[in-house]
Amino acid sequence: MSALTEAQIDVSTPRRRTRSITLRIGAVLVGIIVILAIVSLFWVPFDPADTSGGRLEGPGSEHWLGTDKLGRDLATQIMIGARIALTVGLGAVAISAVLGIAIGLVAAFAVSWVDDTISAGLDILIAFPTLLLAMLIVAAQGASLGSAILSIGIAMSAIVARLTRVVAKRVLAQQYITAARTSGTSWWGIVWRHVLPNIWPTVSVSLALHFGLAVLAESSLSYLGLGAPPPNASWGRLLQEAQGTVLTAPVGALAPGIALVMLVLGVNFIADGLRDIADPTRRRSR
Amino acid sequence: MTSYVLRRLLFLLLSLAAAMVVLFFLLRLLPGNAANALLPLDATPEQIAAAEAALGTDRPLWQQFFEWAGQMARLDLGESFISQLPVLPEIAVRLQVTVPLTLMSFVIAALLSVGIGFVAGYRADRWYGTALSGFSQLGVAVPVFWVGILLVWVFALGLGWLPSGGFPRRDWAYPGAALTALILPVATIVIVMSASMSRYVRSATIDVLGSDFLRTSRALGATSGEAMLRHGLRNAAVPVIAILGIELATTFLGAVVVESVFTLPGLGTMLLTAIAQHDYPNIQGILFISTVFVLLVGCAADIIQRVVDPRLRTSLSGNR
């Protein structure tokens, strides 16, 4: 970090400092999981299908976190699980961002009856909890990582769309939009140059929070056997497999859960930090 | 108010119709058709045609939809492909586990979260206020099934105080044993739900404490307790009621996951079995009943919210 930014932090208020600490803790927690996931692309301690280890071994020098009931290395599975969790989070957030922002913008720009129709449709979709919608889609499409990501992304896109619509309407009521319109800026130019930059601070915080929700939803689906099928080592499935052997091999039931909480908590901290940067007026009330 | 209730009920019917369209067509997009699930793999084309005629799946989709929608409206949910038993009585039996689990968890979590959230907001500057906020931050990052696994580990397998799963008899012939079986599942849901609900109570409390009307009331001579009772509660209740409505529906679905942790014979385990067996009448029946429940709760929450706060009556639902 450069000397200039250090100085800037020093002149800020004490409250602001604690906030930026939240952001840093979040970055560290998420960073650990991201590093695990990136390393797992090039190297893992054992082959994930290697069952040569003893069954339900405790942590040791060879198997750092021990083995599961088939003799597979737990550390390896958790590293691959990190990759799956990040894929799900990024994939679901990307789907909900593209769909949600597009639908929200259309509703914000459209004539009132189109806006009302879209909004009513969104309210119906939002009334469905994410997990029920995901189960419905998985029931129809069959369990796979792709359908888990798709279903969670679609379920969340309704919430993103409603938020985008509200924030975009507020931006569209500003005088600089009228000025842009009268000076002949195209519809697309207004969206790209004025609306998107102004709604992004609010929408990005919501997307960060949805990252955590997506990871949690996928782990529930995997736990229920409706997520990525084996050999994908999703943390939810690891926990489901370790549940029966929690007394003999407690690490197996603890480590994937701790990794999951680290990731979700870290992302939520980052979202909190981002919100304070985007909207300084909220800081006083927290 | 009457006109609001009528508009909201019309919206309820429209949402139900939309949900039924989604439910019907999504499950019809399946690879393979329903007749295949009934027949052995080596069935002849004639057998398949006969099964399709018997199920009515050889007719145009829109005809099938209206007939199906009519049956659903009369609560005729059909018969299971696998057991050939009618779906509705089976769902009713399963609800004897799921409804008590949901309601007990919801009531306890709601009461706890109002307490936790109020203290966390009212005393945000004290250490216990911060500690309570920390609990809710952690609680929303923890998957509900993992809390269940940890509770089973400590209280069932470790200490041996409570059963690790199962349910004595679904008709509650042994109420004591049934309640004991529900203690850990309820505790699991309560820990996670009270954490997420208390965040909303906390921010509603903070909003009200910083409000002009509370300061005015204090300036006019009311004690802080009087001002809170007369003006604070009513204003803080509005966003909390909206959240409670959503969270009751979430609790119901959280029960689906928790039933699977504790192998309770409720609606959730029935749904999972039905998905595994491609038992479409059961899947549809369960999702239909759950949807009706979720939409009814949302409608009730919207109406109660507008009884408390008449200013909202011009908007139909949610934040609009």
Side-chain angles (χ1 to χ4, degrees):
Chain A
M1 185 172 279
S2 72
L4 182 66
T5 45
E6 284 287 357
Q8 280 170 343
I9 288 165
D10 278 340
V11 295
S12 62
T13 59
R15 174 63 100 181
R16 190 162 179 171
R17 264 190 100 147
T18 56
R19 285 291 117 198
S20 82
I21 286 171
T22 321
L23 195 58
R24 280 185 212 173
I25 295 173
V28 169
L29 290 175
V30 175
I32 293 171
I33 303 293
V34 170
I35 290 169
L36 281 182
I38 292 175
V39 171
S40 82
L41 288 173
F42 305 104
W43 175 84
V44 282
F46 286 85
D47 186 88
D50 181 356
T51 53
S52 63
R55 304 215 165 146
L56 295 172
E57 267 178 33
S61 56
E62 196 188 356
H63 296 281
W64 301 334
L65 293 174
T67 56
D68 70 2
K69 59 187 168 193
L70 295 175
R72 291 175 298 195
D73 182 58
L74 186 57
T76 303
Q77 308 233 48
I78 288 187
M79 285 171 73
I80 295 175
R83 198 162 77 203
I84 295 175
L86 290 174
T87 312
V88 168
L90 290 175
V93 165
I95 292 173
S96 64
V98 171
L99 271 181
I101 294 176
I103 296 172
L105 285 178
V106 168
F109 271 91
V111 291
S112 85
W113 70 267
V114 176
D115 181 16
D116 286 346
T117 314
I118 294 177
S119 303
L122 291 178
D123 279 345
I124 294 170
L125 210 54
I126 288 168
F128 276 66
T130 310
L131 195 63
L132 185 65
L133 206 64
M135 286 174 105
L136 186 64
I137 295 178
V138 170
Q141 300 291 313
S144 75
L145 189 61
S147 50
I149 293 175
L150 189 69
S151 53
I152 296 168
I154 291 175
M156 296 191 317
S157 65
I159 303 171
V160 176
R162 181 156 78 174
L163 179 70
T164 303
R165 174 185 165 274
V166 172
V167 189
K169 282 213 134 173
R170 213 177 293 153
V171 172
L172 287 178
Q174 300 291 322
Q175 291 193 333
Y176 57 77
I177 300 291
T178 319
R181 274 194 175 140
T182 40
S183 66
T185 314
S186 66
W187 186 90
W188 178 243
I190 290 178
V191 168
W192 189 249
R193 234 174 291 155
H194 301 289
V195 178
L196 279 180
N198 279 301
I199 66 170
W200 184 244
T202 316
V203 173
S204 61
V205 169
S206 161
L207 290 178
L209 287 171
H210 279 105
F211 184 99
L213 292 177
V215 172
L216 282 177
E218 193 278 333
S219 75
S220 288
L221 283 177
S222 292
Y223 176 80
L224 297 174
L226 300 174
N232 291 303
S234 161
W235 290 332
R237 199 170 56 76
L238 293 183
L239 286 170
Q240 193 265 322
E241 286 173 1
Q243 185 183 359
T245 55
V246 62
L247 273 187
T248 39
V251 182
L254 283 175
I258 293 171
L260 232 172
V261 173
M262 276 171 65
L263 178 60
V264 178
L265 202 59
V267 173
N268 288 354
F269 277 167
I270 292 178
D272 276 357
L274 286 178
R275 177 171 50 204
D276 292 339
I277 292 168
D279 183 7
T281 51
R282 271 189 72 109
R283 206 176 294 141
R284 271 178 291 122
S285 66
R286 287 177 49 92
Chain B
M1 192 63 198
T2 320
S3 96
Y4 173 75
V5 173
L6 287 177
R7 272 185 303 143
R8 188 60 185 82
L9 289 178
L10 183 66
F11 182 70
L12 175 70
L13 286 179
L14 282 177
S15 3
L16 194 57
M20 285 172 79
V21 171
V22 172
L23 199 59
F24 180 82
F25 287 101
L26 204 58
L27 287 176
R28 292 288 176 300
L29 291 177
L30 294 159
N33 59 45
N36 284 352
L38 282 175
L39 294 169
L41 279 176
D42 54 353
T44 61
E46 291 77 35
Q47 281 176 308
I48 294 177
E52 280 183 347
L55 289 170
T57 50
D58 55 344
R59 286 174 301 150
L61 266 182
W62 62 269
Q63 269 187 16
Q64 289 183 47
F65 173 73
F66 280 109
E67 192 186 339
W68 175 81
Q71 286 171 351
M72 290 284 141
R74 293 192 304 271
L75 281 180
D76 170 12
L77 303 186
E79 286 161 13
S80 159
F81 278 171
I82 309 296
S83 65
Q84 310 295 334
L85 293 171
V87 175
L88 190 64
E90 175 67 11
I91 290 180
V93 169
R94 298 287 185 142
L95 284 176
Q96 291 179 359
V97 178
T98 305
V99 167
L101 173 64
T102 306
L103 285 185
M104 283 199 286
S105 311
F106 178 74
V107 170
I108 298 174
L111 292 175
L112 260 183
S113 66
V114 168
I116 293 174
F118 180 74
V119 174
Y122 198 58
R123 290 284 176 254
D125 46 350
R126 306 282 174 82
W127 68 267
Y128 51 87
T130 316
L132 289 175
S133 313
F135 161 74
S136 33
Q137 277 279 7
L138 194 63
V140 290
V142 177
V144 66
F145 60 89
W146 193 47
V147 175
I149 293 175
L150 296 180
L151 288 180
V152 166
W153 182 19
V154 174
F155 293 101
L157 303 175
L159 297 169
W161 291 351
L162 294 161
S164 65
F167 198 75
R169 269 184 56 176
R170 282 180 297 197
D171 59 1
W172 289 75
Y174 308 103
L179 277 177
T180 319
L182 285 182
I183 292 179
L184 282 183
V186 167
T188 305
I189 301 181
V190 164
I191 289 176
V192 174
M193 297 309 290
S194 63
S196 76
M197 286 195 259
S198 63
R199 292 189 318 158
Y200 297 104
V201 178
R202 175 174 177 273
S203 73
T205 309
I206 290 176
D207 284 349
V208 164
L209 284 176
S211 64
D212 294 337
F213 55 81
L214 212 66
R215 194 184 52 199
T216 307
S217 173
R218 296 270 286 130
L220 289 172
T223 65
S224 72
E226 280 168 9
M228 198 68 198
L229 267 180
R230 203 185 300 161
H231 305 287
L233 279 182
R234 197 177 169 105
N235 279 287
V238 175
V240 171
I241 290 168
I243 292 303
L244 287 183
I246 295 169
E247 300 284 307
L248 175 57
T250 317
T251 314
F252 180 66
L253 291 150
V256 170
V257 182
V258 171
E259 278 172 11
S260 158
V261 179
F262 293 93
T263 55
L264 296 174
L267 201 63
T269 38
M270 180 180 170
L271 177 60
L272 289 174
T273 315
I275 290 177
Q277 294 176 334
H278 300 287
D279 192 346
Y280 302 124
N282 270 0
I283 299 178
Q284 270 182 350
I286 297 167
L287 291 178
F288 176 73
I289 296 287
S290 315
T291 307
V292 170
F293 170 77
V294 168
L295 293 175
L296 279 177
V297 169
C299 179
D302 275 346
I303 292 176
I304 296 172
Q305 209 182 353
R306 278 153 187 80
V307 171
V308 178
D309 188 350
R311 287 172 303 181
L312 291 170
R313 282 177 202 167
T314 48
S315 75
L316 187 57
S317 153
N319 298 320
R320 281 199 294 137

